[in-house]
Amino acid sequence: MKRNKTLKTVLALSLMATVMTSCSSDDDTPEVVNEEEIITTMTVTLTSADGTATLQSQDLDGDGPTAPVITADNLTANTTYTGSIQLLNETETPAEDITEEVEEEADEHQFFFGLSGSLTDVTYTDTDEDGYPIGLEFELTTGDAGSGTITITLRHEPTKPNDGTLADAGGETDIAQTFTVTVE
Amino acid sequence: MKYYLYVFVIFCSSIICAQDCNSILLGEIVDFHDNSTLSGATINITGKNLSTVSKENGKFTFKNLCDGVLELEISHPECTTKFVTVTINGDTFSEIRLEHHLEELSEVKVIGDVPKSTNSAQENILSVKDIERNSGNSLGDALKKIAGVSTLNTGGNIVKPVIQGLNGSRILILNNNVRMQDMEWGEEHAPNVDVNANQNISVIKGAAAIEYGGDAIGGVIVLEPLPVVRTDSLFGKTQLNLSSNGRGGNITSSLTKSYKSGLYIKAQGSYKKLGDLEAPDYILSNTGINESGLSLNVGKRDFEQGWEGYYSYFNSEIGILRASHIGNVDDLINAINSDVPSIINDFTYDITQPNQEVTHHLGKLSYYRRFEGFGKWTTQYDFQQNRRFEYDIRVGDDADKASLDLKLTTHSVLTNIKFDAKEGFDLKVGALGRYQTNFANPDTGVRRLIPDYDKYDFGLFAIGSYELNTDWTLDAGARYDFSRIDSKKFYRTSRWEERGYDVDFADIIIEDLGTQLLVNPVFDYHNFSGTAGFHYEINDKDHLRFNYAYSQRAPNPSELFSDGLHHSAARIELGDLRIKSETSSKLSASLERNTSTWGYTLSPFLNSIKDFILVEPTGVEFTIRGAFPVWSYRQTDAILLGVDASLHNNWSSKIRTDHKFAWVRGTDTETDTPLINIPAANFTNSITYTNPKWNNFLVSLESQYVFEQTRFPDNIEVFSPEQQENVILDINTPPDAYHLITLNTEASFTLKNKNDLTVGLSASNLLNTNYRDYLNRQRYFVDDMGRNISLRLIFNY
């Protein structure tokens, strides 16, 4: 009986000792995480016979508090532009080209274009392995001079085929960016 | 092995020389704890046909005994039988101490009143029957039976209890006397508890039970396994539940072997599998659950000392509603405005992303010892490890990688001494030491939502209760807690500056990585709590309880450190390093009446919380993915005022009605606006018919009416890129009131032993009503669960 009690006391004390010692051991510095999937920059290059115009949205802190910086060159009225989209992760050095990833998984991605004002028409000029549009390559037509907006949305896992509207496509938004452009 | 019972025998031998077989044994039976004398004890001399009963003063005598050693068997209706050896050497006096507090040994009262943990606080106990009926549900669902308890849901199977309007870190869950450490960090962290492993569940509303922790501003939920009867026996119980909604069920089985010596061993296991749940009109895609639990208890409960070893394992894989995973604020606007979810797939048992997988290990060693005329010393060491994976919808190489991978390890040591030697006065003092470490695995490739940290806790408490007279019991307690949180966290430089931390916390930066900063916040919190109250027994039937509790809670890591996009919630969550402890002052009263025909409980409360910590939508932030609503933590002063009421009436021996009402009103007193996420008033009525002659047949019909929450903070205005204009995001408007009907029936049958098989059939949401609940975060996306018919079989052996 006596021995039993002593044993329990020793056990309890040694457990306490274990806990107390384990308190002072940890001093590790955590490893930094640089997000891999993040898209910080979308550059839309629009080429016509007259030259090249660029639309860009750059959000270097990702989901941080700083809003994306949006720039848009002026476009020429009544012109058809050949457009292409490039996506970058600039939190890494050198920057990672996310465009390649979208190309590789083209069947799981699609860009959607919403137009208003002097921007009149968009047609897809690329397709995935199943023959459905992707939107990395497209043609954009401008109307008369004025101003217009183009909203570019990248969805992953959309329903394919779809009627070209976001509502019909579903999926998850990777990018949703509106550019206001002056057409002259 | 002989069952030795530890005995203290005091000899007061006389010097008179006596003849052989002419000696007198004079004995006295006293209570072990407070030395009061016990009358009516039967004393037998084993091996001889001699017996007597102790008198009013506890004394007894045997005459004409021979010198030598005798064994006495002493039995008393309220005590355990005890064997004592006495050496007779002439006329002999012997004092014999009996254990008189049976309920404390938890040996006999398997059925009947469960002792309450507090005197003056509002405390409700869930019956074994209620737990059995909820065997297929979560802990939160089971607790809803109690007036004033509601739930906060972030999924069909992710359910957190809300007590009198408060949830999360403000509610402490004790699983077999071990404080669960796993559910504090966010709404989607539900308690990892197998409701079937515990058969005594009580809820203490408010912080009155400061023995368990001073920070339980909302309340304490105590889960305990059923006490083991001290006899030689082997018994078990198996329970099977099958549910139509989710098209699955669960099975739980336990086996207990006990010995008269007090030794016992108990093993319990359970398994649960449900596929997608269903709303009345559609399938709630990806809401399945896969859960398994195992627990093992070994111990010895003896008169003077006892020990216990306990281990439990719990694993749960839970799907998160597919439609609740959205891209940006436009998706959220669309989801809120749409009646049907964006994604409805065919029924499946498969759980895909988004989902979570949680494993919880819990181990405990405890020991107690009683000292005569003094009290009882208890000490305990416990260990917990919680591993949590949260999976999001990710693409490319990361598709199957967890977005969140946390490992939380906790060691605790606690010890207390209960002084109960003086009749009518109990005092318990104790101390606690705890070390906790959290590791957030960087392999996820996602910035940590909860950083790495070490947390140290130290607590001291004293509680006492004093029986002034037969009518009045007073109780009071005080507690001091020290907590230190030592974290290492990366902040984006832009966030660090936006929050103004570069001004206030410049000295805690330990490394500058350009776009990110590594900081080392170390925060100390000194928290005090105190409680005082009384229990007044007006007469046999009427009781009045009154309690005041003052308590302080240190902020949890999510309140301090949250920073960034919470993908599965599609919101940016921002903690604040400046958040300090919140302080609650709660007054609660309870008036009860209980007669054989009817009874009621009326419990109003007023909880004034200074520096109340809350998270609410505050605006939007723009990213290249679009705009996201921002939910920020802030502190304010708040008042919660409410009442829980219940009434029952036995119309005849067979028909009984129960009525329950709970209402709480929460106000932010700084801005004079309603508090967010306060449960709506609800009113439950039920009628039960029982007939013991028909195999204990029972049928009950319950109606639950949940009012619309009319007090809520304003909605926020956000810019919708899709619509190119500011729109109102209807994120705070509560859904309409709803009414649900539940039917339950059961009967018991005899297979081998009396009534060893119980068969029950229940239907919840009988009318398949479409409804949404204010405290369910899925309310933006889908209707709540539709009709569920479940069959349960309980077999005792």
Side-chain angles (χ1 to χ4, degrees):
Chain A
M1 197 97 255
K2 188 87 185 163
R3 197 185 60 84
N4 203 5
K5 179 195 158 195
T6 320
L7 189 78
K8 299 263 167 56
T9 316
V10 169
L11 192 71
L13 286 173
S14 60
L15 283 168
M16 249 179 263
T18 318
V19 176
M20 296 312 165
T21 49
S22 62
C23 293
S24 53
S25 61
D26 235 344
D27 215 19
D28 306 330
T29 299
E31 202 180 300
V32 68
V33 175
N34 288 304
E35 298 209 15
E36 293 152 17
E37 299 151 59
I38 196 161
I39 300 169
T40 60
T41 312
M42 171 166 69
T43 311
V44 183
T45 312
L46 298 169
T47 316
S48 72
D50 295 348
T52 301
T54 306
L55 313 176
Q56 192 183 58
S57 168
Q58 192 181 38
D59 189 6
L60 292 177
D61 73 342
D63 55 35
T66 314
V69 178
I70 300 160
T71 54
D73 290 342
N74 293 351
L75 302 183
T76 313
N78 301 310
T79 308
T80 298
Y81 287 89
T82 304
S84 70
I85 298 176
Q86 188 196 37
L87 306 174
L88 294 178
N89 173 7
E90 292 189 274
T91 59
E92 294 180 18
T93 337
E96 186 192 0
D97 189 350
I98 309 283
T99 326
E100 289 166 15
E101 205 173 296
V102 176
E103 274 167 354
E104 277 164 29
E105 296 164 20
D107 58 331
E108 289 177 14
H109 288 93
Q110 187 174 346
F111 285 91
F112 296 87
F113 302 92
L115 302 183
S116 75
S118 298
L119 300 176
T120 53
D121 194 35
V122 163
T123 43
Y124 291 94
T125 56
D126 56 356
T127 53
D128 63 18
E129 60 207 47
D130 303 315
Y132 302 124
I134 311 167
L136 280 169
E137 310 288 337
F138 61 94
E139 276 183 359
L140 175 72
T141 312
T142 55
D144 296 337
S147 78
T149 62
I150 175 166
T151 303
I152 302 177
T153 308
L154 172 63
R155 288 272 172 97
H156 71 253
E157 295 180 1
T159 311
K160 280 190 173 188
N162 51 59
D163 65 5
T165 63
L166 289 166
D168 188 51
E172 312 270 325
T173 305
D174 287 330
I175 292 175
Q177 194 60 68
T178 302
F179 299 94
T180 305
V181 218
T182 306
V183 179
E184 51 187 20
Chain B
M1 191 178 90
K2 259 269 177 200
Y3 312 116
Y4 48 63
L5 284 163
Y6 208 4
V7 183
F8 292 89
V9 183
I10 300 162
F11 297 104
C12 301
S13 54
S14 57
I15 333 156
I16 299 164
C17 242
Q19 289 270 331
D20 277 357
C21 299
N22 207 12
S23 302
I24 296 168
L25 170 67
L26 175 66
E28 190 183 14
I29 313 280
V30 297
D31 180 79
F32 182 85
H33 297 278
D34 53 17
N35 291 325
S36 62
T37 54
L38 295 174
S39 61
T42 308
I43 301 102
N44 273 301
I45 301 182
T46 47
K48 292 189 173 130
N49 200 14
L50 284 174
S51 82
T52 184
V53 175
S54 65
K55 297 195 192 96
E56 201 70 349
N57 56 5
K59 297 246 166 50
F60 68 90
T61 40
F62 285 106
K63 286 176 182 163
N64 303 326
L65 299 174
C66 309
D67 283 357
V69 177
L70 289 178
E71 190 184 46
L72 305 181
E73 179 189 350
I74 303 112
S75 52
H76 188 271
E78 290 167 37
C79 305
T80 33
T81 300
K82 186 170 181 176
F83 292 87
V84 175
T85 49
V86 179
T87 309
I88 306 291
N89 184 11
D91 290 350
T92 305
F93 173 79
S94 174
E95 186 186 69
I96 295 157
R97 291 169 173 274
L98 283 190
E99 171 54 53
H100 184 236
H101 293 206
L102 268 189
E103 73 281 8
E104 252 195 274
L105 274 170
S106 305
E107 282 166 0
V108 173
K109 290 196 173 179
V110 176
I111 306 158
D113 289 347
V114 186
K116 290 192 167 192
S117 308
T118 53
N119 287 312
S120 65
Q122 293 175 51
E123 187 172 346
N124 301 76
I125 291 158
L126 216 56
S127 71
V128 174
K129 280 278 170 201
D130 282 330
I131 297 163
E132 283 176 354
R133 281 172 202 142
N134 279 290
S135 161
N137 293 331
S138 66
L139 174 69
D141 289 320
L143 291 172
K144 267 194 195 174
K145 188 90 193 154
I146 294 171
V149 180
S150 42
T151 59
L152 185 72
N153 297 34
T154 41
N157 291 304
I158 307 174
V159 185
K160 294 179 77 155
V162 178
I163 301 174
Q164 292 181 335
L166 297 172
N167 68 73
S169 287
R170 299 185 184 97
I171 292 181
L172 196 158
I173 296 182
L174 277 172
N175 184 359
N176 200 354
N177 207 34
V178 179
R179 179 177 177 157
M180 299 292 286
Q181 297 285 338
D182 52 350
M183 50 160 276
E184 302 194 350
W185 297 332
E187 288 171 5
E188 55 285 280
H189 298 228
N192 295 298
V193 173
D194 181 357
V195 70
N196 299 301
N198 295 284
Q199 300 284 294
N200 262 349
I201 302 181
S202 52
V203 172
I204 302 159
K205 296 169 182 168
I210 58 174
E211 175 187 351
Y212 304 120
D215 49 355
I217 286 173
V220 183
I221 297 168
V222 183
L223 304 128
E224 286 167 317
L226 219 53
V228 177
V229 186
R230 197 168 143 172
T231 50
D232 286 309
S233 73
L234 176 69
F235 56 94
K237 176 169 159 179
T238 295
Q239 179 163 359
L240 176 74
N241 272 275
L242 296 170
S243 314
S244 67
N245 202 330
R247 304 182 206 177
N250 70 302
I251 183 162
T252 175
S253 197
S254 67
L255 197 63
T256 307
K257 174 80 186 126
S258 65
Y259 299 91
K260 209 173 166 184
S261 65
L263 197 69
Y264 61 91
I265 177 160
K266 183 180 171 188
Q268 180 267 344
S270 51
Y271 179 73
K272 177 174 178 179
K273 186 165 182 78
L274 290 175
D276 290 338
L277 302 174
E278 288 165 53
D281 299 331
Y282 41 78
I283 285 172
L284 303 171
S285 284
N286 204 37
T287 50
I289 183 168
N290 221 336
E291 198 175 276
S292 47
L294 196 72
S295 66
L296 192 70
N297 258 3
V298 186
K300 190 168 180 209
R301 222 183 287 243
D302 202 348
F303 169 49
E304 283 195 1
Q305 60 177 348
W307 56 271
E308 188 186 40
Y310 174 74
Y311 167 75
S312 90
Y313 166 84
F314 182 84
N315 176 279
S316 172
E317 194 190 352
I318 306 178
I320 294 171
L321 180 75
R322 184 64 183 77
S324 69
H325 191 273
I326 50 170
N328 58 25
V329 79
D330 277 313
D331 293 1
L332 186 60
I333 295 167
N334 293 336
I336 291 175
N337 294 335
S338 159
D339 282 342
V340 286
S342 56
I343 295 168
I344 303 171
N345 297 324
D346 291 338
F347 175 86
T348 175
Y349 288 101
D350 296 339
I351 296 170
T352 56
Q353 290 100 347
N355 63 322
Q356 49 177 253
E357 195 184 334
V358 189
T359 312
H360 197 102
H361 296 272
L362 190 157
K364 167 189 142 174
L365 285 170
S366 66
Y367 173 72
Y368 70 82
R369 188 182 162 84
R370 283 163 217 268
F371 298 93
E372 67 168 298
F374 179 69
K376 179 181 171 184
W377 173 60
T378 309
T379 190
Q380 176 179 315
Y381 162 77
D382 58 76
F383 167 82
Q384 280 177 78
Q385 190 173 77
N386 189 266
R387 184 87 190 262
R388 162 175 286 265
F389 294 101
E390 288 187 9
Y391 296 91
D392 259 320
I393 297 167
R394 301 176 76 176
V395 289
D397 301 340
D398 298 322
D400 296 320
K401 230 196 246 181
S403 303
L404 187 81
D405 175 355
L406 297 176
K407 190 164 84 179
L408 182 72
T409 311
T410 314
H411 302 267
S412 309
V413 179
L414 38 126
T415 185
N416 65 61
I417 297 171
K418 185 175 176 182
F419 304 96
D420 53 6
K422 206 160 165 243
E423 200 180 347
F425 178 69
D426 280 353
L427 177 71
K428 200 173 193 177
V429 295
L432 159 120
R434 177 177 292 137
Y435 167 67
Q436 182 174 74
T437 182
N438 182 56
F439 172 69
N441 193 347
D443 294 343
T444 55
V446 175
R447 297 180 65 253
R448 300 166 179 86
L449 196 68
I450 305 283
D452 288 7
Y453 70 83
D454 290 323
K455 189 165 183 264
Y456 310 88
D457 294 292
F458 177 71
L460 282 173
F461 74 88
I463 49 170
S465 76
Y466 179 58
E467 264 179 58
L468 203 62
N469 52 45
T470 50
D471 300 334
W472 288 83
T473 307
L474 310 178
D475 63 13
R479 187 177 172 112
Y480 162 75
D481 283 285
F482 167 76
S483 308
R484 163 171 290 182
I485 186 157
D486 181 348
S487 169
K488 294 231 173 82
K489 174 167 167 62
F490 291 97
Y491 273 94
R492 276 206 179 91
T493 313
S494 56
R495 176 71 67 203
W496 186 256
E497 287 164 2
E498 181 255 343
R499 299 256 97 192
Y501 294 159
D502 53 336
V503 178
D504 293 357
F505 296 99
D507 54 331
I508 64 170
I509 299 170
I510 49 177
E511 208 180 333
D512 189 341
L513 300 156
T515 56
Q516 291 192 57
L517 298 170
L518 178 62
V519 303
N520 180 205
V522 181
F523 296 128
D524 289 346
Y525 303 95
H526 299 272
N527 290 332
F528 294 91
S529 358
T531 172
F534 66 81
H535 170 198
Y536 173 48
E537 207 175 312
I538 303 164
N539 55 48
D540 283 357
K541 301 172 185 83
D542 296 289
H543 294 252
L544 176 70
R545 293 172 208 272
F546 179 85
N547 182 274
Y548 169 76
Y550 174 90
S551 50
Q552 288 187 307
R553 179 181 74 90
N556 69 30
S558 73
E559 291 161 341
L560 291 168
F561 304 125
S562 282
D563 149 43
L565 185 59
H566 197 156
H567 287 262
S568 63
R571 67 193 202 189
I572 290 170
E573 286 175 359
L574 299 177
D576 197 329
L577 293 177
R578 300 175 187 94
I579 282 178
K580 50 186 195 269
S581 293
E582 61 182 14
T583 308
S584 145
S585 291
K586 184 171 181 177
L587 285 171
S588 58
S590 160
L591 184 65
E592 291 163 40
R593 184 179 177 89
N594 216 332
T595 73
S596 56
T597 51
W598 74 290
Y600 70 86
T601 307
L602 189 68
S603 319
F605 65 90
L606 175 70
N607 195 353
S608 165
I609 308 175
K610 195 173 167 294
D611 300 318
F612 182 73
I613 305 168
L614 59 95
V615 59
E616 63 184 3
T618 47
V620 276
E621 264 182 16
F622 293 91
T623 77
I624 201 166
R625 290 155 66 103
F628 289 91
V630 178
W631 287 64
S632 312
Y633 286 94
R634 71 173 172 106
Q635 285 192 291
T636 185
D637 292 344
I639 283 189
L640 285 107
L641 174 71
V643 65
D644 300 333
S646 65
L647 170 72
H648 71 266
N649 193 10
N650 292 309
W651 299 90
S652 74
S653 64
K654 297 192 177 79
I655 297 171
R656 171 185 165 120
T657 58
D658 283 276
H659 315 274
K660 274 185 307 172
F661 176 77
W663 172 82
V664 53
R665 177 190 164 104
T667 309
D668 179 338
T669 52
E670 274 183 18
T671 58
D672 199 25
T673 50
L675 279 185
I676 193 167
N677 281 346
I678 296 297
N682 60 82
F683 191 31
T684 307
N685 294 286
S686 68
I687 181 161
T688 309
Y689 173 84
T690 44
N691 193 335
K693 284 183 195 152
W694 305 347
N695 289 317
N696 290 322
F697 176 75
L698 174 150
V699 59
S700 73
L701 190 69
E702 183 186 276
S703 133
Q704 187 195 17
Y705 187 82
V706 177
F707 293 82
E708 184 181 333
Q709 178 57 276
T710 53
R711 301 184 79 251
F712 56 94
D714 291 339
N715 288 304
I716 54 171
E717 194 173 82
V718 299
F719 178 77
S720 159
E722 222 170 78
Q723 297 172 40
Q724 284 295 302
E725 61 181 4
N726 280 336
V727 295
I728 295 285
L729 182 61
D730 205 8
I731 200 165
N732 284 331
T733 308
D736 297 337
Y738 61 87
H739 181 217
L740 301 178
I741 303 277
T742 302
L743 184 71
N744 177 45
T745 174
E746 71 180 37
S748 43
F749 303 93
T750 301
L751 296 180
K752 227 166 126 190
N753 301 311
K754 198 164 182 284
N755 293 329
D756 54 359
L757 176 72
T758 304
V759 180
L761 190 70
S762 325
S764 57
N765 193 359
L766 185 70
L767 305 176
N768 216 14
T769 308
N770 288 304
Y771 74 99
R772 296 186 185 207
D773 188 87
Y774 176 56
L775 289 189
N776 190 338
R777 208 179 61 201
Q778 291 186 346
R779 76 171 199 269
Y780 301 136
F781 313 105
V782 288
D783 285 344
D784 232 300
M785 237 169 95
R787 184 188 296 125
N788 180 25
I789 296 170
S790 62
L791 173 75
R792 64 178 179 276
L793 300 171
I794 303 158
F795 183 46
N796 286 294
Y797 44 89

